[in-house]
């Protein structure tokens, strides 16, 4: 129980932070060098010079250690999101938070940190690593939803706006990340994120053949799936305004 409590609420002291970061960095480095199957928890603890018990204070598995840097990134994104002005719409605030994270000179984001591209590529083929990475990203997304709900004074369990705004933004980030991992330009991630967000707001201008929307119904963008971010209703939700009913 004590070890599990500490994993949920990691030590905040400088020594504990350094130990956790060292374990995460060692796990990622070893997995990149040898592959996940060839790395054990003992390999990680030996590389850092700590005991298995110390490892267990922070992580439940080696996969948890490997993706711990991504968990820290999610926390930094949410810290930036919490600091955004309340006058910004939720999706605008989320996009701005990503910009802050991507440009942070102190805590480098994915495109300025060794190993993240390789980690994302590995996760595509390693089921255990992919499962932990997905859970970490979903936990970060859930925290973002709670922050947006608080901004709106909304119930995240009943009001769709926080989940739609964050889900759209997170999908844009991961679409950009997939393009980034498959490309050759390590510095391309910020530009790809901007491109992805621009697509969220894209809507072709009306043409004479457009059929006017019925009163009380939102007009869908041609070619968009019902309820997808490309529909007017979904964008109303993402921007924090109530959709037409």
């Amino acid at each position: 129980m004590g070890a599990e409590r500490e994993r949920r609420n990691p030590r905040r002291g400088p020594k504990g932070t350094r130990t956790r970061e060292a374990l995460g960095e060692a796990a990622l480095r070893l997995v990149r060098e040898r592959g996940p199957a060839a790395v054990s928890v003992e390999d990680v603890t030996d590389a850092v010079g700590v005991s298995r018990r110390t490892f267990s204070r922070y992580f439940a598995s080696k996969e948890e250690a490997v993706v711990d840097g991504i968990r820290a990134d999610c926390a930094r994104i949410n810290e930036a999101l919490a600091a955004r002005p309340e006058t910004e719409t939720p999706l605008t605030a989320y996009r701005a938070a990503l910009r802050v994270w991507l440009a942070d000179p102190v805590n480098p984001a994915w495109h300025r940190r060794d190993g993240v591209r390789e980690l994302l590529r590995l996760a595509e083929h390693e089921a255990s690593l992919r499962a932990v990475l997905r859970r970490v990203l979903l936990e970060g997304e859930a925290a973002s939803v709670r922050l947006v709900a608080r901004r709106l004074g909304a119930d995240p369990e009943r009001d769709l706006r926080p989940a739609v705004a964050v889900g759209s933004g997170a999908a844009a980030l991961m679409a950009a990340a997939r393009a980034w991992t498959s490309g050759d330009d390590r510095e391309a991630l910020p530009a790809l994120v901007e491109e992805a967000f621009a697509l969220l707001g894209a809507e072709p201008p009306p043409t004479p053949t457009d059929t006017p929307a019925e009163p009380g119904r939102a007009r869908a963008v041609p070619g968009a799936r019902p309820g997808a971010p490309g529909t007017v209703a979904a964008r109303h939700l993402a921007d924090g305004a109530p959709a037409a009913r």
Side-chain angles (χ1 to χ4, degrees):
M1 284 294 291
E4 180 62 25
R5 253 194 323 270
E6 287 191 66
R7 280 198 298 270
R8 288 198 301 266
N9 301 291
R11 293 182 185 181
R12 296 185 180 274
K15 183 178 179 181
T17 299
R18 288 196 301 269
T19 300
R20 180 175 188 136
E21 289 176 351
L23 287 166
E25 290 167 3
L28 178 56
R29 175 176 55 79
L30 291 170
V31 163
R32 288 171 60 201
E33 291 173 356
R34 307 178 188 176
V39 177
S40 66
V41 169
E42 286 71 22
D43 292 329
V44 177
T45 57
D46 288 347
V48 178
V50 299
S51 67
R52 173 67 182 258
R53 182 176 179 180
T54 296
F55 180 94
S56 298
R57 290 175 182 167
Y58 303 102
F59 306 114
S61 67
K62 68 182 180 187
E63 289 83 7
E64 293 273 357
V66 170
V67 304
D68 197 52
I70 303 295
R71 178 182 281 107
D73 289 311
C74 292
R76 283 191 281 272
I77 291 169
N78 283 326
E79 183 179 352
L81 177 60
R84 298 308 304 169
E86 292 190 3
T87 52
E88 292 180 342
T89 62
L91 190 57
T92 296
Y94 192 85
R95 183 178 190 174
L98 290 180
R99 285 172 173 162
V100 170
W101 166 65
L102 288 165
D104 189 341
V106 178
N107 297 297
W110 295 348
H111 62 300
R112 294 177 178 170
R113 199 162 77 233
D114 290 338
V116 178
R117 276 159 64 97
E118 292 85 346
L119 168 58
L120 296 179
R121 288 169 178 164
L122 271 174
E124 294 178 3
H125 308 290
E126 298 288 342
S128 59
L129 194 57
R130 182 170 62 250
V132 174
L133 177 61
R134 177 175 173 78
R135 177 167 55 77
V136 165
L137 291 171
L138 287 175
E139 288 172 354
E141 188 173 331
S144 298
V145 170
R146 290 192 295 271
L147 285 170
V148 169
R150 196 174 305 137
R151 289 169 62 94
L152 296 174
D155 179 355
E157 300 297 326
R158 296 177 178 273
D159 194 320
L160 293 177
R161 292 174 298 166
V164 170
V166 172
S168 299
L173 170 61
M174 294 315 297
R178 283 190 292 273
W180 174 64
T181 58
S182 64
D184 298 322
D185 185 357
R186 177 172 172 169
E187 297 297 320
L189 182 60
L192 289 167
V193 170
E194 292 297 322
E195 181 180 347
F197 271 88
L199 290 171
L200 282 181
E203 180 180 1
T207 65
T209 57
D210 281 348
T211 302
E214 297 177 16
R217 295 190 57 150
R219 179 174 58 82
V221 176
R225 300 188 311 277
T231 66
V232 171
R235 279 204 305 281
H236 272 285
L237 290 167
D239 287 341
R245 296 183 182 276

